[in-house]
Amino acid sequence: MAPKLTSRFWVDAYLARLRFADIPGFVVAHGDDTGGAVLVKLNTLDGQAVLYQRSFDLMSDTRVWAELSSGAEGDVDAAVARQRGFDPDLWVIEVEDRAGRHLLDQDGLA
């Protein structure tokens, strides 16, 4: 069983990786430092957005980033608000990239 990183450590590492790739990323909602779940909102700066959540894929026995919501940015923001209503310890990271890069598919980020 792999050791589990704290949420704060993962968020800091993710933001550093985004900075290294010259992709703006911001903490929109600061969740629980130890065990808060993380949502990543990809804003393509054209009125559209995609919201990702980390989940567990039983078929492959791995953690993956799954799309939770996509479409108009206002609709995605409403999905974020609903999730924050269920879980006040939730982290929300917003990534802004016209090309749609989020880096969540890179090794070490699942």
Side-chain angles (χ1 to χ4, degrees):
M1 184 168 170
K4 186 172 189 251
L5 299 176
T6 65
S7 299
R8 177 62 184 255
F9 186 88
W10 187 92
V11 166
D12 288 344
Y14 180 55
L15 293 174
R17 196 176 291 189
L18 289 169
R19 277 192 304 276
F20 186 71
D22 292 323
I23 301 170
F26 312 94
V27 175
V28 176
H30 186 289
D32 180 71
D33 282 343
T34 305
V38 179
L39 295 180
V40 175
K41 175 187 164 189
L42 172 62
N43 182 346
T44 52
L45 304 171
D46 61 357
Q48 300 293 302
V50 183
L51 184 63
Y52 296 95
Q53 70 176 355
R54 192 165 42 177
S55 61
F56 192 78
D57 181 6
L58 294 174
M59 297 299 287
S60 65
D61 195 34
T62 58
R63 288 192 169 274
V64 296
W65 286 94
E67 186 178 302
L68 181 63
S69 178
S70 66
E73 186 178 7
D75 295 341
V76 172
D77 287 341
V80 170
R82 282 192 302 277
Q83 292 299 313
R84 296 242 337 123
F86 301 137
D87 184 359
D89 292 330
L90 188 67
W91 287 81
V92 180
I93 308 303
E94 182 162 345
V95 176
E96 295 180 345
D97 189 65
R98 290 185 194 283
R101 298 174 301 159
H102 50 64
L103 308 183
L104 295 173
D105 51 356
Q106 291 188 350
D107 287 339
L109 290 177

